[in-house]
Amino acid sequence: MLQKTVKSLIEKSFKLYRKTPKQLLAAVLFVIIVVFLVLYLRGTDFEQLRDIRINWYWMGWSVLVALIFRYLMVVIWRVILRALGAPRLPSFRLMTDIYAKSWLARYIPGTVPWIAGKIVMAASYGISKSRLTVSSLLEAGMQVASAVVVSLVLIGFSPRISSIPLVLRVLLVAASAAGLVVLSPPIFNRLLTLAHKLFRKGDPHVELKINGSAVWRSFSWFVLATFINGAACFLLIHALVPSLPGNLFLYVVGAFALAGAIGMATPLLPSGIGVRDGALLVLLSAVFPRDIALAVTVISRVWQIAADLIFFAIAWSVRKLWPAEQPN
């Protein structure tokens, strides 16, 4: 039932995109995103930030590294599409513009707007909808799997793990093990075949199947992306806590990776709101006083939105200044 609903939403979205004036569709999407961004921020306890002093030099560096992470996500998307046999891809600046728009759709409840947004917009430029669907599902799964695997290595064996609730430790190990199993080509290709039968009523073409090299290459890219995003988060904390010791770097990377993965895996909540913040607060409280951990959790939410909006603004500006391909 769920698969049929997702398929129906994607197909209807594509038809709507083809028939509706692009300016009107963009305006409606923009309004929806703004509404949910406002709702997202309304849940932020800004009182926790009243006594925080921010070092804007390090804050600027944290935003810069966060932007590098977002551009790397576009690179990974292209890597996955090429691994799936896409014969020709649009220019990098065009795909960045598409990705930046769909990335903001993460704030709309559920994962469908984010996935459907990329499929609908990119399909207009000649990329197979099947490849786009598979690449989006693979990307989402890889993000979660790589994050939990990195978390297991960086947090699971940390001496600070004793202060983290047992249930969270068990979930961490279980999620990491499940991620590694799903990443094996035989299992992934079986899931891919099942998904293709549900969406397309038949076996997928051979070029849509993943080999071991493609799986581990994309997984390696996501591990790199996890560390880059973790570095941005470490710089964010450094902007709030000048005395932050460097030996906490790996723990911070693992904490933000795990909290982000939990947020992504949580359905029906915009960008994992609440669940992601709660997990992050627990993990940071293991190494920081609770008031500092709470302040970092709150401000990281605002910081994340700011980085997403800057990413979108840069991608949109570049697209306007140097027009690329036109949709078919």
Side-chain angles (χ1 to χ4, degrees):
M1 183 64 183
L2 177 61
Q3 291 87 348
K4 291 181 179 179
T5 301
V6 173
K7 176 185 176 183
S8 175
L9 284 172
I10 291 175
E11 290 180 345
K12 289 179 180 179
S13 298
F14 187 76
K15 291 178 182 178
L16 181 66
Y17 183 79
R18 300 284 291 187
K19 294 179 180 180
T20 307
K22 301 302 180 288
Q23 293 83 355
L24 175 60
L25 195 60
V28 171
L29 179 61
F30 176 77
V31 170
I32 294 174
I33 290 174
V34 168
V35 168
F36 281 103
L37 276 174
V38 171
L39 293 175
Y40 186 85
L41 286 172
R42 281 185 62 186
T44 302
D45 185 5
F46 289 100
E47 285 296 317
Q48 299 296 329
L49 309 181
R50 186 170 50 187
D51 299 324
I52 292 294
R53 297 293 178 267
I54 299 175
N55 184 318
W56 291 105
Y57 173 80
W58 290 112
M59 181 64 74
W61 276 107
S62 72
V63 172
L64 177 61
V65 177
L67 290 174
I68 292 174
F69 162 74
R70 283 154 177 77
Y71 274 96
L72 182 58
M73 296 300 288
V74 183
V75 172
I76 296 174
W77 185 29
R78 292 172 67 89
V79 168
I80 292 174
L81 283 170
R82 291 197 183 282
L84 289 171
R88 184 178 63 86
L89 295 178
S91 65
F92 183 81
R93 63 179 178 271
L94 174 59
M95 292 188 70
T96 301
D97 183 56
I98 292 172
Y99 200 94
K101 291 174 182 175
S102 64
W103 190 252
L104 284 177
R106 294 179 307 124
Y107 295 101
I108 301 175
T111 57
V112 172
W114 171 42
I115 293 176
K118 284 197 300 179
I119 294 172
V120 169
M121 288 185 282
S124 299
Y125 294 89
I127 306 176
S128 162
K129 285 191 288 183
S130 295
R131 285 193 177 92
L132 288 168
T133 301
V134 172
S135 70
S136 296
L137 294 174
L138 174 59
E139 180 188 351
M142 280 287 189
Q143 283 190 53
V144 175
S146 61
V148 294
V149 169
V150 169
S151 303
L152 176 63
V153 175
L154 300 184
I155 297 179
F157 301 100
S158 170
R160 302 176 179 89
I161 193 71
S162 59
S163 61
I164 297 175
L166 176 61
V167 64
L168 192 56
R169 283 182 271 166
V170 172
L171 288 175
L172 173 61
V173 174
S176 300
L180 288 173
V181 170
V182 172
L183 284 174
S184 64
I187 300 297
F188 183 85
N189 282 328
R190 286 193 182 95
L191 294 175
L192 175 61
T193 299
L194 176 62
H196 200 275
K197 285 180 178 179
L198 291 172
F199 282 91
R200 291 291 174 183
K201 304 299 182 184
D203 291 329
H205 297 126
V206 66
E207 64 267 20
L208 293 184
K209 292 191 175 182
I210 299 294
N211 55 45
S213 174
V215 168
W216 293 111
R217 188 167 62 248
S218 57
F219 174 71
S220 299
W221 275 102
F222 273 114
V223 169
L224 174 62
T226 298
F227 274 93
I228 291 177
N229 186 56
C233 297
F234 184 83
L235 290 171
L236 168 67
I237 298 178
H238 188 53
L240 307 175
V241 186
S243 59
L244 177 67
N247 61 8
L248 284 181
F249 174 75
L250 294 179
Y251 185 88
V252 168
V253 171
F256 274 89
L258 178 59
I262 293 173
M264 281 190 62
T266 303
L268 305 180
L269 289 175
S271 201
I273 184 173
V275 177
R276 177 258 185 194
D277 296 340
L280 184 60
L281 178 59
V282 170
L283 292 167
L284 293 181
S285 295
V287 294
F288 296 110
R290 187 169 178 81
D291 58 335
I292 296 297
L294 183 57
V296 170
T297 300
V298 171
I299 204 168
S300 68
R301 181 189 294 186
V302 182
W303 170 80
Q304 177 180 275
I305 293 176
D308 289 342
L309 292 175
I310 293 172
F311 177 49
F312 167 76
I314 294 174
W316 181 85
S317 300
V318 170
R319 175 79 187 284
K320 289 297 182 181
L321 290 174
W322 294 281
E325 303 94 324
Q326 294 300 314
N328 296 328

